[in-house]
Structure formats: structure tokens, C-alpha cells
Amino acid sequence: MNNQRVVTGSIGASYMRPRIVAFIPAHNEEKSIRDCLAGLGDQLLPNNVELDVFVIADNCTDRTKEKAELAGDEFDLNVKVLVTEGNKQRKVGALNTAWKKIYGDTLDLYNTTLTKYQQLYKESIKAILGMDADSRLAPKALINLWEDLMTSRNIGGVMAKYTMRMPKKKSSLSKDDVHYEEKLASGEYGGPIARWWTHQQKQDMASWLLDLQYHGGSTYVLGGQATLFRPEALQNIVEENKLDGPWQNDSDVEDMLLTWQLQKSNWKTLISPGARCFVDSMRSYHTYREQRNKWKSGTVDLLTNGNLDVRTKHKGKLWRSQIKTLCDLLIRLLFVLLLSAALATDQFYWSWLWIIPIALASVLNIMLAVKTPMHRPIDVILAGLLISPEIYLWVNLITFGQVWMERLAANKKDGWANQYNAENGKTRSKLGQGILTGFAFTGMIVVLCIYFRDYLTSPSVQQAIYPYLMNGWILLTYLTIYQSLYMFYQIWTLRKRIEA
């Protein structure tokens, strides 16, 4: 780096000033890398601590390298751009490239010993910041992460709290603006659907962060968007697992795998209460589904893959989350089936007790919407009416079902490739086809029920169906009671003054 300082004391000891080193993997990120580096340029550093930035231009076909170098000069940052070619391990390979640049490559037969300068530089590194190229740290985030990391010797990593950046209204752009197409392509602006998706992800992230902080701030995933690691902890993972770098390509959720390995080695993994990082959201159904499919399939793989010798103290929590999602799915499917059968056979009876879980869900979602950073009044209203939460939940239930079916069928997909292709418009959503198919199927069932109404409402059919309806409603009641108790517990925890 261009700011090295080697000082030789009277006793012959040589050292460099302590530093934080940032690793930023960037694959074709010419549009976002400047904003990411601008955020680093805004940071307040600890006293006598320097910041070096490694941007890994990974298999780029655009001007990422040039943009990063220009931004480094613009924001007075010590930026070093590493260029990879033919890297087949995507983000993992990019991160490990930066690691090997500093700590050496154990697989390199001709360069296994660090020079004196490299050794001094390595010893000067007191923290490693892992960031995504489309993320931006809020002011003072880095010093908050540093202070949290230095609280205790056994803290291996501290993650910033993430908030999705809300795109500006697309309608605020003038079509007469000569830069209209360029601004639209930048992702800075979005229509109502993109803004709706962004808020749902913000609220989902806020719910997750609030829950983890309520239970002490320990996390089962140090997100790759912005996490400050202790170098000794990463080196510990390399040595214990006989790796050539801390990050592994054995999972679609490499950040979660690394976190579990840290916890297995008795390192603490925490959320910073004060550091915030702004990240980009998925702004369409298709891109969101591909991203969540990758995340959820990676989580399920870690939970069920016995070949990966990792564990986390949060394993029970993750399994309970899977069971809760299954319960959400069963309740909705069972309700639709029972309601349809009851209406078709004229055996439907309303109970005012059903208002209780609906009211609890409304209160819970209003509280979550209010606690979501930078929320809008319309978001709170839609949350209270349960419109937004229910649509968002159904999308996640579809993903949940798909992930588990693929897991049971041992059908492994490339989650990174699917997400990247979706974000770049190389694949298309089947949402429209699914909606049309659903409407057609529902319409056909309604027509058949009307046509055979006399038969379906006859005493013999009613008597035959009644026991199944009763048992089904009883099962649904028990499941709903469980969910209602869980919602009440969530409402109780949200009363605390914890910020998402």
C-alpha cells in the first residue's frame, strides 16, 4: 500500500502502524464501487489506526478496476485493486485472493515464505473488514465495529446492522432529462413495486435483527455485506480446517459457513448495536426469489449435510424457524382446503374467535413496520391491514417448499449463478404463468361446485364429509393456537427499546 510506515527503534525492533484492511470483492460493479468507497472515505478511524482497501476486480468485463482506482484518489483512500481471471469460485475465490496476497498462498510451491516487509505488514493488521461492492457504511460505522470487536479477546467477528436502501421515486425523474436512461439503469430510482419489495425486505431484516438483539446479540451469520473480523480468528479457521483461505466454496452461504466454523472454535460472533450498513435490495419477485432460494437452500444444506463438520449454538433456533415456516404453510393450505370443502357442502360456520390471531398478526406487523428504519406511513397501513405481510409470506412459503423438495430430491442447483442471471435479466419470472394457472384452476373448481351443488349439499354427502371437516378444523385450531402464542411472545419482546 502507499502509506506504509516502517519504524526502527533503538532496540532494533521494526513495526508498522496498526491498520484495518478492507476486502471488497467486485464482479462488474462499475456502477456501485464508487459509492461503496465513498462510504469508506466518510469513516472516522480509531486513533493511530490506518485503513487499507483491497478491491478484488473479479473476472470483470467492465470498468470496475478503473472506477475503483479513480474513487480511491477522489476519497483519499489507500486502494489496491487486485485483478482475477478465470476464478471459478466467485465471491469465495475473490476474498481468498485478497487473503493470500497478505498472508501467503500455501498452495504456491515457489513463494511460501513472506518477505520481512510482508511479515511486518501482516502483523500490523488488527482487523479485516469484509464488504460487498454494492454496500455503503453509514458514518462512524467502522469505528463502532472496531470498538465492539475490541471489547473482548474472544470476539471473532462483528456485523453491522443492515438496512435496505429505498430507491427514489421513478416518477420524480423527468423524461426530458438527458441522463434519464442512465439514472434509471443505475438502480437509484424505482417504481412502486420496486419500492414495495424494498420495504418488505427492510421489515424482514428489521424483524431478524430485533430478535437476535433481544437474545443477546449473538448471530449465526456474519453477513458478507459488512463484517469486521479479528485476523487471528480467520487464521484459526485456516489452520484448523487445513484451508488456503478462510472462505469456503462448499456452501451457497459462505458467510454462514464461516460463522459456524468460528463458533465451533469458540469465537463469539456478534451484531454491532451502533454500526449500520446500507445495502441494495432485490427489487422484483424474480430476483428476490432467486436470492432467497440461494440463502434458504444454503441454510438447509448446512443443517442437514453431515459431511460439513460445523455446528452452531443457534442450530435449535434455525430448526424452530423451519418448523414455524412449515406451520405457516400448513395453516394456510389447511384453511383453504377446509374453507373450500365447507362452502361447497354448505357447512361453513363463522366463529368470532378467529379474530384473535388476525388481531395479533395486525398488531405484530404494525410494531415491526414502526420499528423498521425509515418506514413510510403507507408501509404501516399495509402492515396493519395484513396485505403486505401476507403477500410477502406466501412468496417465502413458495421458496420454502421449493427448497425442501429440491433437498429431498437431492437436486443441487448453482444458487450464485441463478441469482446473478436473474439480476442481469438473463432469466425470466414465471409469476404471471403461475397466477393465470391459479385463477384458471380456482375458476374451474368454482364452476364444478356450482354445477354439482345439489349433490354436494345433499345430506348423504354432508354426513360423509362432516367428520373430516371437524377433525380438520380441530387440527387447524391447535396450529393456530401455537402460532397465536408465538405472535404474542414476539409482541412481548418488541416492547423493549431495541433498534433494528
Side-chain angles (χ1 to χ4, degrees):
M1 308 303 289
N2 58 12
N3 71 327
Q4 65 247 26
R5 291 182 177 88
V6 181
V7 181
T8 303
S10 59
I11 59 174
S14 297
Y15 62 92
M16 288 186 180
R17 291 180 64 179
R19 70 191 66 244
I20 299 170
V21 174
F23 291 171
I24 306 177
H27 173 65
N28 290 341
E29 296 285 358
E30 65 175 1
K31 295 178 182 178
S32 59
I33 191 63
R34 180 186 178 278
D35 185 62
C36 176
L37 295 177
L40 287 176
D42 286 341
Q43 297 306 306
L44 176 66
L45 295 176
N47 288 335
N48 298 316
V49 175
E50 297 180 349
L51 172 65
D52 293 340
V53 181
F54 285 84
V55 175
I56 307 97
D58 182 40
N59 296 336
C60 291
T61 56
D62 65 356
R63 301 172 61 207
T64 296
K65 179 178 182 296
E66 180 183 344
K67 294 283 186 179
E69 291 172 338
L70 290 173
D73 293 337
E74 180 181 356
F75 302 114
D76 194 26
L77 291 169
N78 300 312
V79 173
K80 171 73 173 179
V81 180
L82 306 178
V83 177
T84 69
E85 294 179 1
N87 170 33
K88 296 181 180 180
Q89 294 188 341
R90 300 186 180 89
K91 183 178 179 180
V92 166
L95 287 167
N96 284 335
T97 294
W99 173 270
K100 294 172 187 177
K101 183 71 175 178
I102 298 171
Y103 291 87
D105 186 353
T106 57
L107 298 179
D108 187 348
L109 300 178
Y110 303 100
N111 188 24
T112 57
T113 303
L114 297 179
T115 66
K116 183 177 180 181
Y117 167 75
Q118 289 173 323
Q119 187 65 36
L120 289 170
Y121 186 80
K122 184 181 77 168
E123 291 172 357
S124 73
I125 298 173
K126 305 306 177 185
I128 294 178
L129 174 67
M131 280 194 69
D132 283 348
D134 58 356
S135 301
R136 177 164 181 159
L137 291 178
K140 297 184 180 180
L142 187 55
I143 196 166
N144 283 328
L145 289 171
W146 170 271
E147 291 172 351
D148 294 332
L149 186 68
M150 296 303 160
T151 301
S152 176
R153 176 69 180 80
N154 63 347
I155 298 176
V158 182
M159 179 184 74
K161 293 193 289 189
Y162 302 139
T163 297
M164 277 68 182
R165 288 187 278 201
M166 180 67 72
K168 299 176 184 177
K169 289 184 178 180
K170 180 180 175 181
S171 58
S172 66
L173 266 179
S174 171
K175 292 186 178 181
D176 294 330
D177 189 335
V178 293
H179 300 290
Y180 177 80
E181 295 293 339
E182 181 183 345
K183 290 180 179 179
L184 207 58
S186 69
E188 186 179 354
Y189 296 83
I193 299 299
R195 288 164 61 81
W196 181 86
W197 273 112
T198 298
H199 176 77
Q200 298 316 304
Q201 292 165 76
K202 282 176 62 180
Q203 184 168 319
D204 192 9
M205 181 64 70
S207 174
W208 178 68
L209 291 170
L210 288 167
D211 180 63
L212 291 179
Q213 290 179 97
Y214 177 79
H215 291 95
S218 176
T219 178
Y220 54 84
V221 54
L222 293 169
Q225 293 92 336
T227 292
L228 194 65
F229 295 97
R230 191 179 298 277
E232 301 95 309
L234 297 181
Q235 187 66 53
N236 185 200
I237 299 305
V238 171
E239 293 172 354
E240 281 196 0
N241 297 278
K242 296 180 175 60
L243 304 172
D244 59 332
W247 293 271
Q248 288 181 258
N249 201 41
D250 296 332
S251 171
D252 282 342
V253 282
E254 80 294 330
D255 46 7
M256 187 181 293
L257 175 57
L258 176 60
T259 307
W260 289 25
Q261 289 174 326
L262 288 169
Q263 291 181 354
K264 179 185 174 184
S265 299
N266 297 317
W267 292 98
K268 288 185 178 181
T269 57
L270 305 175
I271 294 173
S272 170
R276 185 171 300 282
C277 178
F278 296 94
V279 301
D280 285 342
S281 64
M282 298 294 108
R283 300 183 182 182
S284 70
Y285 168 83
H286 185 46
T287 56
Y288 174 80
R289 282 265 287 114
E290 291 298 346
Q291 183 200 60
R292 291 306 164 105
N293 193 297
K294 177 175 73 72
W295 286 1
K296 292 180 184 296
S297 63
T299 302
V300 169
D301 186 55
L302 285 181
L303 286 170
T304 58
N305 191 342
N307 295 323
L308 294 174
D309 184 23
V310 290
R311 63 175 180 268
T312 173
K313 65 179 182 179
H314 295 279
K315 197 167 188 178
K317 181 183 185 68
L318 288 167
W319 274 115
R320 288 192 295 272
S321 176
Q322 297 293 319
I323 293 171
K324 179 186 177 298
T325 305
L326 176 62
C327 190
D328 284 331
L329 180 60
L330 289 176
I331 285 175
R332 282 153 180 80
L333 292 179
L334 193 57
F335 177 75
V336 170
L337 180 62
L338 292 172
L339 181 63
S340 300
L343 290 173
T345 58
D346 197 21
Q347 297 184 87
F348 175 73
Y349 303 97
W350 168 260
S351 173
W352 285 102
L353 290 175
W354 295 352
I355 292 294
I356 295 175
I358 296 174
L360 286 174
S362 180
V363 171
L364 173 60
N365 282 286
I366 288 175
M367 292 179 71
L368 285 173
V370 170
K371 281 182 171 285
T372 300
M374 293 157 281
H375 59 271
R376 304 169 299 172
I378 186 63
D379 298 321
V380 179
I381 293 171
L382 291 177
L385 295 174
L386 301 182
I387 297 173
S388 292
E390 193 64 22
I391 294 173
Y392 188 72
L393 178 59
W394 269 106
V395 174
N396 282 284
L397 292 178
I398 293 170
T399 303
F400 172 82
Q402 179 183 343
V403 164
W404 274 103
M405 285 191 292
E406 290 175 356
R407 180 59 183 168
L408 295 174
N411 183 17
K412 177 67 175 176
K413 293 184 177 180
D414 189 337
W416 278 107
N418 290 340
Q419 179 181 332
Y420 180 77
N421 289 335
E423 291 178 16
N424 287 275
K426 296 180 180 179
T427 57
R428 292 289 181 267
S429 169
K430 296 181 180 179
L431 177 61
Q433 299 174 20
I435 292 175
L436 289 175
T437 302
F439 275 121
F441 179 76
T442 302
M444 181 181 68
I445 296 298
V446 171
V447 170
L448 289 174
C449 288
I450 294 174
Y451 185 80
F452 292 104
R453 180 167 178 77
D454 292 340
Y455 171 73
L456 292 172
T457 56
S458 63
S460 59
V461 172
Q462 287 182 334
Q463 290 176 7
I465 294 294
Y466 182 76
Y468 296 102
L469 283 177
M470 285 302 299
N471 290 329
W473 287 119
I474 291 172
L475 175 60
L476 182 61
T477 299
Y478 283 125
L479 290 174
T480 304
I481 290 173
Y482 164 75
Q483 288 291 67
S484 297
L485 291 173
Y486 184 76
M487 286 189 290
F488 183 79
Y489 168 74
Q490 287 180 294
I491 291 171
W492 179 255
T493 62
L494 288 174
R495 80 191 191 284
K496 289 199 169 185
R497 295 183 178 179
I498 301 175
E499 296 184 359

